[in-house]
Amino acid sequence: MPYKFSESLQNLRMSPIVSISEKVKTLSPEFKARTGKDFVLFQRGEIDLPTPAFIREAAKQAMDAGYTKYPKSGGEDVYKDAILKKLSHFNKAGNLSRENIIATYGGQEALELAFKLFEGQKGVGFAPCWSVILENFGPYCSTNFVQVPLNSDFSVDYELIRKELKDAAFFYLNTPQNPSGKLFTKEEVNRIVELCKENDVFLISDESYEYITYDGRDHFSPISLDYENIISAFTLSKTYSMTGWRLGYVVTRNQSISRLFRLGDYTQTAGVTTFLQYAAAEALSNIEESTRSVDSMMKEFTQRRNALCIGLKQIPGIEFDYPHGGFYLFPSFTKLIPEKLSGTARELYIYNKLMEAGIATVYGSSFGNHFADYIRFSFSATKVPVIEEAIERIKKVFA
Amino acid sequence: MPYKFSESLQNLRMSPIVSISEKVKTLSPEFKARTGKDFVLFQRGEIDLPTPAFIREAAKQAMDAGYTKYPKSGGEDVYKDAILKKLSHFNKAGNLSRENIIATYGGQEALELAFKLFEGQKGVGFAPCWSVILENFGPYCSTNFVQVPLNSDFSVDYELIRKELKDAAFFYLNTPQNPSGKLFTKEEVNRIVELCKENDVFLISDESYEYITYDGRDHFSPISLDYENIISAFTLSKTYSMTGWRLGYVVTRNQSISRLFRLGDYTQTAGVTTFLQYAAAEALSNIEESTRSVDSMMKEFTQRRNALCIGLKQIPGIEFDYPHGGFYLFPSFTKLIPEKLSGTARELYIYNKLMEAGIATVYGSSFGNHFADYIRFSFSATKVPVIEEAIERIKKVFA
């Protein structure tokens, strides 16, 4: 009997962030014993706030009301209708109907299906890039994924994109971006969509952090533009502290695609947990409660971002601008890395120094080929006093 | 730009059962207007009982306790530990640990990953066969899926299996079986596993209906046998009326496979909703409540099965034995179909006659190549008085 296991499964890798967290579990007690202090965790993309009560209550009610039967293929009407309203008022995307929407298990399943759609073909996206694209979706779907670097100030080099799009099937855009915190402006999104149009390339738009923007800036959604071949992945995870609920959705004006997504989602999971879709509908529809919880989260995140930025700005050699979106800071440490270092020794140099000081971060090479001198700090689960403690430690490391 | 959509997505089909249910939605009001009576629904694999309260309460408690963060890769320890206990006492499968288990979105994701593992290779399974294998998993994973027919009394022809296993990667076994209601005996399972061993073929075991057995018969699990290359898919859907919760798990002694499944599940969905895993753990662990609810369900299903069987036995030409498991009856109507009919006209002949009488069923060709003269009746959501009403109508149809 001749068998071999699927190559696409065998090519999958676990995110480096998972192994960093594992390492912290080992190092943490040693560090505590040696210094009497706790590890500072900047490595996770997890939010330390609870899911708002009004969403939990909606889940309980739907569960007790008997919405425990098989979900409708593609998603429950109540969820889709709430999504349509949200798309219209928040994303400024009109002229959409239930057929354009598919409920998914978080943004993850939405993006996995989008990559699956272009199995074996060429995709293009910016570096730095969310690690799951590189470790999971790319290998799973045998994507030839080409990274186009942002400039060192995270501005866009359109000529680089234009060159790569010529023989590509899709462009992957993540705004606000993980790990850079870059929020793509309306003008940038417009130019990227124009380039996709010109080259007949599909746009996969990952808007996981759409509600997390700073300094009065607004998120701009590609799906608001007049181009049929946009596939937009959304999630409730970051907006409502619902990472463990696994609730998201995908939106596309291209009905051939939404039909394939319905079939793909059905095949993989038979659909998204029915009563949780009712909770998701409440999260999106109850504007008053939703605004209150997002505002409160953003007040906290703004304080954390500012504490981290103000602190790190005091340390010569760490270079960055304030991030405009998301809950990550991605500074360059080039000036603090010995010039002669290269390869893995270089990639892990800053990360290891911080780890020794009881500070867990993610090294830049986790996010692709071009930003290996950078370090990702997530402030999603790190309160201001802990950030301030970390700053003091980092000062000592580089004193 | 050269693009084409993924063939494996394009080859997917929606189950005929979905279109039958759609058709019923249209026909039902017409039928009611004409006859004053309701449609009888025998087409669905959905259970009409509520999810037991103790499971709903466990979900609520876990949600409020803050288990709303990202799930652990592969599944929460509390869920895995409950599964291990259940495997030991119910499935008689010992010598397993957390590493052998992966939490999945129902049996569906477990089976989809199992088929994915053997992408592009040959699989073998019995006809009749669950339609999702034929319409979804097979095409999605480019499986060359060969159907080996059960005999007309649903006994096994081992020589047919032996021939087909020679160049196969896996055998798919579903016990108790959908749609036949066949419960494979310990001896049958043993001989099938021996054949797999001899041919170095993996066994994918689908045990969705494991708790639904009749007349004092016991379900026998392949995973209790000494063969490493068994992949067993389980679900809470049918045992606890939890079809809409999407909770299941896969078990294998082969740790290379469980590693690939962890990565595959993570890639597709980032894992199973955290607090729902706590509810699943309670469903499996609370033996007292669980036994009470399963017993009560089985009392009801037994009455329905008997009412349906006793009724149909009164109609000459409908041939079947009492099913030993599941909630389906799959009788042959060969003697009631005009001999000269063939093709689609033959396949839909009985189904259409029943549909005209306000009775929705599923035609046998939905379940593969070999049982086109058969009709599937599901009694999962049809109470005894409604079954009795249906019997009266069927008597008239074939009078």
Side-chain angles (χ1 to χ4, degrees):
Chain A
M1 193 277 328
Y3 79 85
K4 53 182 195 315
F5 295 147
S6 149
E7 264 184 44
S8 66
L9 274 168
Q10 293 204 76
N11 289 338
L12 291 176
R13 295 178 296 267
M14 196 47 92
S15 161
I17 303 170
V18 174
S19 49
I20 293 170
S21 289
E22 294 295 321
K23 202 173 172 187
V24 168
K25 270 187 204 158
T26 318
L27 292 180
S28 193
E30 293 167 28
F31 184 78
K32 180 97 180 183
R34 199 172 77 235
T35 65
K37 291 178 177 174
D38 290 322
F39 237 84
V40 178
L41 308 176
F42 282 125
Q43 87 280 14
R44 299 171 301 175
E46 179 73 273
I47 302 171
D48 61 350
L49 308 168
T51 303
F54 79 100
I55 301 172
R56 287 182 274 130
E57 291 311 313
K60 295 174 193 173
Q61 279 177 28
M63 201 189 292
D64 286 341
Y67 295 114
T68 55
K69 305 300 174 194
Y70 279 120
K72 185 169 172 178
S73 162
E76 298 294 310
D77 290 345
V78 63
Y79 185 28
K80 289 189 173 187
D81 290 345
I83 291 167
L84 286 169
K85 276 188 199 153
K86 176 264 180 187
L87 285 168
S88 162
H89 78 76
F90 183 77
N91 305 96
K92 314 294 179 215
N95 206 11
L96 290 160
S97 66
R98 288 177 185 168
E99 286 67 40
N100 302 114
I101 295 164
I102 302 94
T104 57
Y105 282 108
Q108 186 101 352
E109 195 197 4
L111 291 167
E112 179 257 337
L113 286 171
F115 271 69
K116 174 92 182 166
L117 188 67
F118 302 106
E119 219 168 14
Q121 298 180 66
K122 180 181 174 184
V124 181
F126 290 116
C129 182
W130 182 36
S131 55
V132 169
I133 300 288
L134 307 173
E135 312 288 348
N136 299 89
F137 302 148
Y140 205 46
C141 305
S142 311
T143 311
N144 168 21
F145 190 76
V146 175
Q147 299 169 41
V148 169
L150 288 168
N151 297 319
S152 61
D153 63 351
F154 304 147
S155 62
V156 179
D157 183 334
Y158 297 99
E159 271 317 301
L160 282 182
I161 301 178
R162 192 192 305 275
K163 266 183 221 155
E164 290 297 349
L165 286 190
K166 293 215 167 81
D167 56 351
F170 71 87
F171 187 83
Y172 166 74
L173 176 69
N174 174 211
T175 178
Q177 204 214 38
N178 173 8
S180 67
K182 177 180 174 68
L183 176 70
F184 288 81
T185 64
K186 181 174 174 176
E187 199 207 326
E188 286 170 329
V189 172
N190 256 306
R191 288 190 64 177
I192 291 164
V193 170
E194 279 308 312
L195 283 173
C196 288
K197 258 188 184 176
E198 279 167 27
N199 292 279
D200 217 358
V201 159
F202 290 76
L203 181 73
I204 299 177
S205 175
D206 171 0
E207 302 174 46
S208 300
Y209 302 91
E210 58 182 337
Y211 280 92
I212 303 178
T213 57
Y214 301 93
D215 312 323
R217 284 183 174 78
D218 285 326
H219 169 70
F220 184 77
S221 288
I223 196 84
S224 65
L225 298 173
D226 178 32
Y227 181 42
E228 192 191 44
N229 292 331
I230 295 174
I231 300 164
S232 301
F234 298 95
T235 175
L236 279 75
S237 291
K238 315 293 183 179
T239 309
Y240 305 103
S241 254
M242 292 174 74
T243 48
W245 293 59
R246 314 303 315 128
L247 289 168
Y249 51 98
V250 61
V251 184
T252 177
R253 296 182 190 277
N254 185 318
Q255 298 217 3
S256 306
I257 294 180
S258 60
R259 197 187 132 268
L260 294 178
F261 279 13
R262 265 197 300 281
L263 286 163
D265 166 65
Y266 176 77
T267 301
Q268 294 186 170
T269 67
V272 174
T273 309
T274 318
F275 54 86
L276 296 187
Q277 294 189 50
Y278 282 76
E282 175 68 11
L284 297 177
S285 306
N286 189 332
I287 303 292
E288 197 185 320
E289 288 281 4
S290 159
T291 304
R292 201 198 322 272
S293 75
V294 172
D295 286 354
S296 151
M297 175 178 76
M298 285 312 301
K299 195 178 154 191
E300 174 68 22
F301 282 172
T302 304
Q303 288 170 356
R304 294 179 188 178
R305 180 196 68 152
N306 293 348
L308 185 61
C309 290
I310 290 167
L312 292 181
K313 280 280 180 208
Q314 296 165 17
I315 302 169
I318 304 180
E319 299 176 300
F320 62 91
D321 292 323
Y322 277 47
H324 296 159
F327 41 59
Y328 304 107
L329 182 67
F330 195 56
S332 165
F333 282 76
T334 299
K335 292 192 175 157
L336 294 169
I337 305 172
E339 271 182 48
K340 60 173 196 279
L341 281 184
S342 63
T344 309
R346 184 176 185 92
E347 285 173 13
L348 299 183
Y349 179 79
I350 299 292
Y351 162 81
N352 280 336
K353 274 196 166 311
L354 295 175
M355 209 64 153
E356 282 161 29
I359 296 168
T361 60
V362 183
Y363 39 90
S365 61
S366 308
F367 308 102
N369 305 329
H370 299 276
F371 290 81
D373 285 356
Y374 290 59
I375 287 283
R376 190 186 79 171
F377 294 80
S378 165
F379 48 88
S380 60
T382 318
K383 297 197 193 311
V384 171
V386 180
I387 291 173
E388 286 168 348
E389 158 74 19
I391 296 292
E392 293 312 308
R393 292 190 205 170
I394 300 172
K395 279 180 184 166
K396 278 181 204 152
V397 171
F398 298 108
Chain B
M1 194 275 330
Y3 80 86
K4 54 183 194 315
F5 295 147
S6 149
E7 265 185 43
S8 65
L9 274 168
Q10 292 203 76
N11 289 338
L12 292 176
R13 295 178 296 266
M14 197 44 93
S15 160
I17 303 169
V18 174
S19 48
I20 293 171
S21 289
E22 294 295 320
K23 201 172 172 187
V24 168
K25 269 187 204 158
T26 318
L27 292 180
S28 195
E30 293 167 28
F31 183 80
K32 180 97 181 183
R34 198 172 78 234
T35 65
K37 290 178 177 174
D38 289 322
F39 236 83
V40 178
L41 308 177
F42 282 125
Q43 87 280 14
R44 300 171 301 175
E46 178 73 272
I47 303 171
D48 61 350
L49 308 168
T51 303
F54 80 100
I55 301 173
R56 286 182 274 131
E57 290 311 312
K60 294 175 194 172
Q61 278 175 29
M63 201 189 293
D64 286 341
Y67 295 113
T68 54
K69 306 299 174 194
Y70 279 121
K72 187 170 170 177
S73 161
E76 296 294 310
D77 289 346
V78 63
Y79 184 28
K80 290 188 172 187
D81 291 345
I83 291 167
L84 286 168
K85 277 188 199 154
K86 176 263 178 186
L87 286 168
S88 163
H89 78 77
F90 183 77
N91 305 96
K92 315 294 179 214
N95 207 12
L96 290 161
S97 65
R98 288 178 187 168
E99 287 66 40
N100 301 113
I101 295 164
I102 302 93
T104 57
Y105 282 108
Q108 186 101 353
E109 194 197 3
L111 292 167
E112 179 257 336
L113 286 170
F115 271 69
K116 173 93 183 168
L117 187 67
F118 302 107
E119 218 167 14
Q121 298 179 67
K122 180 182 174 183
V124 181
F126 290 117
C129 182
W130 181 35
S131 55
V132 169
I133 300 288
L134 307 173
E135 313 287 350
N136 299 90
F137 302 149
Y140 205 47
C141 304
S142 311
T143 312
N144 169 20
F145 190 76
V146 175
Q147 299 169 42
V148 169
L150 289 169
N151 296 319
S152 62
D153 64 351
F154 303 147
S155 62
V156 179
D157 184 333
Y158 297 99
E159 270 319 299
L160 281 183
I161 301 180
R162 192 192 305 275
K163 266 183 223 156
E164 290 297 348
L165 286 190
K166 292 212 167 84
D167 56 351
F170 71 88
F171 187 83
Y172 166 75
L173 176 69
N174 174 210
T175 178
Q177 204 213 39
N178 174 7
S180 67
K182 176 179 175 68
L183 177 70
F184 287 82
T185 65
K186 182 175 172 174
E187 199 208 328
E188 286 170 330
V189 172
N190 256 304
R191 288 190 65 177
I192 291 164
V193 169
E194 278 309 312
L195 284 173
C196 288
K197 258 189 184 176
E198 279 168 26
N199 291 280
D200 217 359
V201 159
F202 290 75
L203 181 73
I204 299 177
S205 175
D206 172 0
E207 303 175 46
S208 300
Y209 303 91
E210 59 182 338
Y211 280 91
I212 304 178
T213 58
Y214 301 93
D215 312 322
R217 284 182 173 79
D218 284 327
H219 168 72
F220 184 77
S221 288
I223 195 84
S224 65
L225 299 173
D226 178 30
Y227 181 44
E228 193 191 45
N229 292 331
I230 295 174
I231 301 163
S232 302
F234 298 95
T235 175
L236 279 77
S237 291
K238 316 291 183 181
T239 310
Y240 305 102
S241 255
M242 291 173 74
T243 48
W245 292 59
R246 313 304 314 126
L247 289 168
Y249 51 99
V250 61
V251 184
T252 177
R253 296 182 189 278
N254 185 318
Q255 297 216 4
S256 306
I257 294 180
S258 61
R259 196 187 133 267
L260 294 178
F261 280 12
R262 266 197 300 281
L263 287 164
D265 166 64
Y266 176 76
T267 301
Q268 293 185 170
T269 67
V272 174
T273 308
T274 316
F275 54 86
L276 295 186
Q277 294 190 49
Y278 282 77
E282 175 68 10
L284 297 177
S285 307
N286 189 333
I287 303 292
E288 196 185 319
E289 288 281 6
S290 159
T291 305
R292 201 197 323 271
S293 75
V294 171
D295 286 354
S296 151
M297 176 178 75
M298 284 312 300
K299 195 177 154 195
E300 174 68 21
F301 282 172
T302 304
Q303 288 171 355
R304 294 180 190 179
R305 180 196 69 151
N306 294 348
L308 185 61
C309 290
I310 291 166
L312 292 182
K313 280 280 180 210
Q314 297 164 17
I315 302 169
I318 303 180
E319 299 175 303
F320 61 92
D321 291 324
Y322 277 47
H324 297 157
F327 42 59
Y328 304 107
L329 181 68
F330 195 57
S332 165
F333 281 77
T334 299
K335 292 192 176 159
L336 293 169
I337 306 172
E339 271 183 47
K340 61 170 197 280
L341 280 184
S342 64
T344 309
R346 184 177 185 93
E347 286 172 13
L348 299 183
Y349 179 79
I350 298 292
Y351 161 82
N352 280 335
K353 272 193 163 320
L354 295 174
M355 210 63 154
E356 282 161 28
I359 296 168
T361 60
V362 182
Y363 39 90
S365 60
S366 308
F367 307 102
N369 304 329
H370 298 276
F371 290 81
D373 285 356
Y374 291 60
I375 287 284
R376 190 186 81 171
F377 294 79
S378 166
F379 47 87
S380 60
T382 317
K383 298 198 193 309
V384 171
V386 180
I387 290 173
E388 288 168 348
E389 158 74 18
I391 297 293
E392 293 313 308
R393 291 190 205 170
I394 300 172
K395 279 180 185 165
K396 278 181 205 152
V397 171
F398 298 108

